[in-house]
Amino acid sequence: MWKKVARPLLALALLAALMLLLLQGGGADRRAAGAQGVPLSDAALAERRGALVDEVVFTQEGDLGKISGLIGNGGLDVYGQGITNTTLFRRLRDSQSAAYDLAYGSSMEVTVNPVGPRFANGDLNPFQVPAIREALNWLIDRRHVADELYGGLAVPRFLPLSTAFVDYARLADRARALELRYRHDPERAGAVIGREMTDLGARREDGRWLVDGEPVRIRVLIRTEDTRQQVGDYLANLLEDQGFTVERLYRTAEEASRIWIATDPAAGGWHLYTGGWVATAINRDESDNLTYYYTPRGRPEPLWQAYSPDPELDRIAERLERGDYASTAERESLLLRGLELAMRDSVRVWVVDQLNVAPRARELALATDLAGGVAGSSLWPYTLRFQGRLGGQVVFGVPNLLTEPWNPVAGSNWLYDRLITRGLDDPVLLPDPYTGLFWPQRIAGAEVTVKEGLPVARTLDWLTLETAPEIRVPADTWIDWDPAAGRFLTVGERHPEGLTARTRTRVQYEPGFLDRHWHDGSPMSLADILLPWALTFERADTDSPLFDASYAPTFEVFQRHFRGWRIVSRAPLVIEIYSDQIYPDAETIVAARAPSVSPWHVLALGIAAERRGELAFSSDKADRQQVDWMSLVAGPSLAILERHLGAAREQGLVPYPELLGPYLANDEPAARYRALADWYAARRHFWVGDGPFYLDSVRPVERNLVLRRVADFPDPADKWLRFTRPQIPELALDGPLVVAAGDGAAFTLGITYADQPYPGEAIEAARFLLFDGTGGLAAKGEAEPVAPGRWRIGLDPEQVAALGVGANRLEVAVTSRRVALPAFGSHVFATVPAAALATRTDAIRAGNGGAR
């Protein structure tokens, strides 16, 4: 647990903070000197384009204990990592200068290395055995972790579904049965571990497991920046109690990343890792979690390529990823079976879902995501501002900077790297931070057509949804790739007999979409859409120098549902995409289909470097070829890319000229490479985006970088300011504490927001689950509205009688149409024999002595 800092240490901490403030412009003096911009006026806001602030300085600060102080004295304006420590939260809550936002999409799990049974160094890996991995679920007391280690800022999590998202709420009754199967049971865990270790040839002497006369050593990789350090120690203690000899490897994010994600797990550098994940947006369909977390298709890194899931789990994961189901019931059936198999597999042991507290200065405002908080917000670049001010400099603290290499193909997926790049790029659609539904950013509208009977719904009115008995794919639609000719193949060439699809998505981009410029000044063109599509196929071609074995599983799934795409019109730009993949929400289908843009001239340098075997887009391929993982912003990659830029300028390089040539202006290659050379000379990096900020400078050694506002960004500065605060339902469940067997019972559910009744039309569902004393599900149903903000749950005498005698629990899950975050409440009551209740009532009356 965190401790108070002694006075001498506090003095040193303040001195360090003062030095940081001087580097950043003087802390509070920085704000007083105008770093917060100029007073806001309606006229100034009306004229402003793009970002509401002029500059964002990202700086690394890993000591959470300093954050409230740095915000208070002006050293930081906002911090990207959510705080889960109760002491720090109280300090933040009581601060006069700081404020905070809440997020619900973070989780903590134990990542398990499944390679074995022996590592390359000869060490035994007990966790190669699925039964031992599964036993960790019974070994870990999730309630203890949530309540004691996280101080109540977390809830137990068992399954590959976030307890904060809608899929869990929909499946709550059936999911609870699976959770009960894996509740804390250390004796069962010990029995399974003992049996499986003996089968591995180990024996236990003096309480310690030995193999070949040597202790069985377990290396636990423990993150040090947050509560995961305490969780790691707790886990290590549990394993020592089970007879293992444990090495505790305490590492920061960057240090740990080099071990668990960037190296071959067969090397034996670790067994278990205290992993953490953040959903950067409300995920309305978590069915692809099975693919992402349990199969090689999830990510290209070596660990994922070592996964070997049960074939049934793999098939279910792949079907859910493709949307291969015909009804909601079939989807739920597949998902439930997949969850059961994932728990048996347990290459991840989920521990808690966290409540994250995102600190900021009280005068600072931004749209944070209900799931991802500040770090996951897609809208922070468009809404970051000082209240009542325009312009200014924001100092943005994050615990880690440049954790992994940046490139647009298979670069860093690290939370804080992605946080920054969201300010540099401009997606065609952006997720609603409170519902997860997508809104247009660079498209004028979309038409979605699905085959009749498929479970797809539309919520927002910027798109249309229609059904059709059959969807035929036009013959001129591009569906495959000819690597030798460097061109797309059509449906007519590949499928002369014709082809059908389950969905058609027609996306119309906003007027002038391709009249914009990249940050280096290069005009956009259709080649910026075509080249990323070509790479989709080229990286899966085994005969191509760009082939990436770690990407192949992902492409195989894509190929099974992809039915082609075509350019319907160039002015306005209209693109049509055909696929057999579906999602429950039509808005998500558009977001998954709509092609985005990436500067072809920057990609061309990376392609050239990978073709020559000098760099690799992905971590896995870099390891296989013993080259650097490509970075456009730092490290040895820059010199290689600079050399290829020189060659590209001399040659007028155009990758796949047969494909791109017809879409390029005559002087485009020369002009693009000239602009990129000027950009690199001025900024010493190759990250060229189209977002509201451009990357002005990168200082890897100093651990800071600077983003500056793009003055001619196409949007008005107030475009996204309609997102203020999420209307999360607040629940109050009340009812009797004791119910007599044979009687009915009634409970009252209050649903409010800001002390006002929650509008009934905004409530999607108010479901209840009734559990008996054994934890078994006794009944479920829907609450009934009886008055504004007031709902009733009634249990009939038969339902009460079925509970037996003892303690029971009533749980409610309320989902709103205004936020995707379900709200939960519970009420505990006892059932007793009718005679006992009567006796107790008589005794109470006698003791009262009558009326007063």
Side-chain angles (χ1 to χ4, degrees):
M1 300 296 290
W2 290 90
K3 298 180 180 179
K4 292 183 179 179
V5 182
R7 288 184 183 272
L9 293 178
L10 180 60
L12 290 173
L14 291 174
L15 179 61
L18 178 61
M19 294 177 66
L20 177 63
L21 297 181
L22 292 172
L23 288 172
Q24 294 171 347
D29 292 338
R30 174 184 66 83
R31 290 180 180 167
Q36 287 187 344
V38 298
L40 177 65
S41 68
D42 291 342
L45 182 60
E47 293 178 2
R48 182 86 170 189
R49 312 299 292 180
L52 291 150
V53 299
D54 299 321
E55 181 178 274
V56 183
V57 178
F58 281 91
T59 185
Q60 180 168 307
E61 175 53 69
D63 188 345
L64 292 177
K66 296 179 181 178
I67 300 306
S68 62
L70 288 173
I71 290 176
N73 61 32
L76 289 179
D77 297 308
V78 59
Y79 192 63
Q81 182 179 1
I83 288 175
T84 59
N85 181 278
T86 52
T87 301
L88 298 180
F89 171 57
R90 285 193 292 269
R91 189 184 307 167
L92 184 68
R93 182 192 59 197
D94 296 339
S95 170
Q96 296 300 308
S97 56
Y100 60 86
D101 299 290
L102 299 178
Y104 303 82
S106 298
S107 57
M108 184 267 153
E109 49 86 25
V110 177
T111 304
V112 185
N113 185 340
V115 174
R118 296 275 183 171
F119 290 134
N121 60 12
D123 289 351
L124 178 71
N125 180 18
F127 303 107
Q128 185 271 339
V129 180
I132 295 181
R133 300 198 299 265
E134 183 183 24
L136 292 175
N137 289 282
W138 296 303
L139 188 63
I140 296 171
D141 185 347
R142 292 168 169 88
R143 177 59 63 187
H144 169 79
V145 174
D147 292 347
E148 300 301 325
L149 303 187
Y150 280 90
L153 292 176
V155 295
R157 172 171 172 175
F158 293 77
L159 308 177
L161 295 179
S162 170
T163 58
F165 294 161
V166 291
D167 263 334
Y168 182 84
R170 293 184 188 121
L171 300 173
D173 54 335
R174 289 153 289 180
R176 289 289 290 126
L178 192 54
E179 291 173 344
L180 289 169
R181 189 187 306 175
Y182 286 98
R183 60 187 167 187
H184 183 51
D185 190 344
E187 291 184 4
R188 183 175 183 181
V192 172
I193 291 171
R195 181 187 70 236
E196 297 296 333
M197 287 296 293
T198 300
D199 289 346
L200 286 171
R203 69 179 188 279
R204 194 163 181 173
E205 294 183 5
D206 298 327
R208 291 282 161 226
W209 286 109
L210 304 176
V211 166
D212 302 328
E214 295 294 328
V216 177
R217 297 184 181 277
I218 303 298
R219 298 178 183 87
V220 182
L221 186 58
I222 301 173
R223 283 284 295 278
T224 58
E225 303 97 323
D226 51 40
T227 308
R228 282 179 287 177
Q229 179 164 342
Q230 292 96 299
V231 178
D233 284 329
Y234 166 72
L235 177 62
N237 292 340
L238 292 177
L239 292 170
E240 287 174 340
D241 291 343
Q242 290 296 319
F244 295 106
T245 300
V246 179
E247 295 180 27
R248 306 177 192 218
L249 308 178
Y250 298 103
R251 298 291 188 272
T252 63
E254 184 176 4
E255 294 165 342
S257 176
R258 296 184 191 133
I259 299 172
W260 79 276
I261 202 170
T263 60
D264 186 350
W270 63 284
H271 292 79
L272 304 171
Y273 167 61
T274 53
W277 300 90
V278 174
T280 55
I282 295 287
N283 192 345
R284 299 176 63 86
D285 178 9
E286 287 195 285
S287 60
D288 64 350
N289 280 8
L290 297 178
T291 284
Y292 186 81
Y293 290 114
Y294 296 89
T295 79
R297 298 184 301 277
R299 287 179 60 158
E301 283 83 11
L303 175 62
W304 273 259
Q305 302 315 302
Y307 290 158
S308 180
D310 178 280
E312 185 185 3
L313 173 59
D314 197 39
R315 284 194 302 271
I316 288 174
E318 192 264 344
R319 285 188 62 187
L320 288 168
E321 185 181 8
R322 289 190 291 114
D324 181 15
Y325 45 82
S327 66
T328 299
E330 184 180 11
R331 175 184 180 272
E332 292 184 355
S333 176
L334 287 169
L335 185 52
L336 285 165
R337 177 59 177 163
L339 295 177
E340 183 178 5
L341 294 170
M343 295 300 290
R344 292 184 193 172
D345 184 277
S346 283
V347 289
R348 280 189 167 72
V349 179
W350 300 95
V351 180
V352 293
D353 280 332
Q354 300 162 229
L355 177 64
N356 273 320
V357 181
R360 57 176 169 83
R362 191 170 293 276
E363 59 268 31
L364 191 81
L366 73 164
T368 62
D369 193 276
L370 263 183
V374 170
S377 173
S378 293
L379 291 183
W380 80 258
Y382 308 91
T383 59
L384 184 68
R385 65 202 185 277
F386 291 105
Q387 300 278 19
R389 315 286 291 182
L390 196 61
Q393 178 198 71
V394 172
V395 179
F396 207 131
V398 289
N400 312 103
L401 270 177
L402 304 171
T403 307
E404 294 175 347
W406 291 14
N407 75 68
V409 176
S412 175
N413 194 42
W414 204 258
L415 177 65
Y416 304 108
D417 292 338
R418 297 293 294 272
L419 162 67
I420 300 168
T421 58
R422 277 195 290 274
L424 306 174
D425 300 321
D426 192 35
V428 295
L429 293 107
L430 288 165
D432 187 307
Y434 309 141
T435 68
L437 293 168
F438 283 85
W439 292 95
Q441 168 67 352
R442 291 286 163 252
I443 68 174
E447 302 169 13
V448 177
T449 305
V450 302
K451 190 175 179 180
E452 288 179 351
L454 292 179
V456 177
R458 185 204 73 162
T459 303
L460 305 176
D461 60 6
W462 61 264
L463 77 164
T464 62
L465 174 64
E466 299 178 345
T467 61
E470 183 180 69
I471 301 172
R472 298 200 64 82
V473 183
D476 63 346
T477 302
W478 290 332
I479 193 171
D480 208 345
W481 176 252
D482 183 343
R487 70 177 184 90
F488 286 111
L489 298 173
T490 66
V491 167
E493 292 173 288
R494 277 293 193 213
H495 300 277
E497 74 283 2
L499 190 66
T500 62
R502 299 209 298 166
T503 72
R504 176 182 63 231
T505 306
R506 176 174 286 192
V507 181
Q508 180 172 326
Y509 291 78
E510 67 180 8
F513 175 73
L514 292 177
D515 296 333
R516 300 176 301 140
H517 290 75
W518 293 104
H519 287 162
D520 67 355
S522 301
M524 291 185 179
S525 71
L526 269 171
D528 297 316
I529 292 178
L530 295 172
L531 184 54
W533 268 99
L535 283 179
T536 298
F537 293 87
E538 188 78 12
R539 295 179 67 229
D541 179 12
T542 55
D543 295 328
S544 170
L546 299 181
F547 173 72
D548 191 329
S550 65
Y551 170 70
T554 300
F555 179 79
E556 288 172 6
V557 173
F558 163 79
Q559 199 170 39
R560 287 184 190 133
H561 67 72
F562 178 64
R563 295 296 176 265
W565 74 293
R566 64 174 184 156
I567 300 170
V568 177
S569 166
R570 295 175 66 171
L573 180 62
V574 179
I575 294 178
E576 218 169 52
I577 309 96
Y578 294 82
S579 174
D580 280 350
Q581 186 183 48
I582 64 170
Y583 294 94
D585 296 298
E587 293 85 351
T588 306
I589 291 177
V590 179
R593 302 284 179 268
S596 56
V597 290
S598 189
W600 73 257
H601 57 308
V602 177
L603 284 178
L605 304 186
I607 291 170
E610 183 161 312
R611 279 177 170 165
R612 289 182 171 269
E614 297 172 312
L615 297 171
F617 283 118
S618 79
S619 169
D620 185 77
K621 186 171 181 179
D623 284 346
R624 291 173 188 265
Q625 296 197 342
Q626 297 297 298
V627 298
D628 281 323
W629 186 2
M630 189 186 306
S631 173
L632 302 189
V633 297
S637 296
L638 296 182
I640 296 172
L641 294 172
E642 182 182 17
R643 176 162 43 81
H644 282 285
L645 173 59
R649 294 187 70 182
E650 291 177 8
Q651 302 163 11
L653 175 66
V654 176
Y656 313 113
E658 291 295 321
L659 172 67
L660 302 187
Y663 300 95
L664 299 177
N666 290 334
D667 62 344
E668 184 172 331
R672 287 223 182 189
Y673 290 128
R674 182 170 58 252
L676 185 57
D678 293 343
W679 173 268
Y680 181 71
R683 295 174 179 84
R684 309 309 295 174
H685 69 79
F686 287 99
W687 194 274
V688 176
D690 62 340
F693 294 97
Y694 67 88
L695 184 57
D696 183 65
S697 63
V698 182
R699 299 184 179 90
V701 176
E702 295 86 350
R703 292 296 184 182
N704 67 70
L705 48 79
V706 177
L707 278 59
R708 294 188 187 277
R709 168 179 168 257
V710 176
D712 60 352
F713 193 70
D715 295 336
D718 61 353
K719 178 178 179 178
W720 292 98
L721 292 186
R722 66 184 185 272
F723 292 97
T724 52
R725 297 189 64 82
Q727 295 185 14
I728 302 173
E730 298 162 356
L731 307 186
L733 182 58
D734 194 19
L737 298 177
V738 180
V739 178
D743 288 350
F747 302 84
T748 300
L749 172 63
I751 308 179
T752 59
Y753 173 73
D755 297 325
Q756 297 298 314
Y758 208 94
E761 67 275 8
I763 298 297
E764 182 180 53
R767 301 183 178 93
F768 73 84
L769 303 173
L770 179 63
F771 297 94
D772 61 23
T774 68
L777 179 64
K780 62 180 180 179
E782 300 279 343
E784 300 174 355
V786 294
R790 190 162 168 244
W791 299 61
R792 179 183 181 277
I793 298 171
L795 303 180
D796 59 41
E798 291 76 17
Q799 289 174 315
V800 173
L803 294 172
V805 174
N808 313 282
R809 188 173 69 258
L810 182 68
E811 295 185 359
V812 293
V814 174
T815 52
S816 164
R817 294 184 176 89
R818 296 184 177 179
V819 293
L821 185 76
F824 296 96
S826 64
H827 178 78
V828 177
F829 67 97
T831 46
V832 300
L837 182 60
T839 302
R840 179 175 181 272
T841 303
D842 290 343
I844 292 173
R845 288 173 178 166
N848 284 343
R852 288 179 292 179

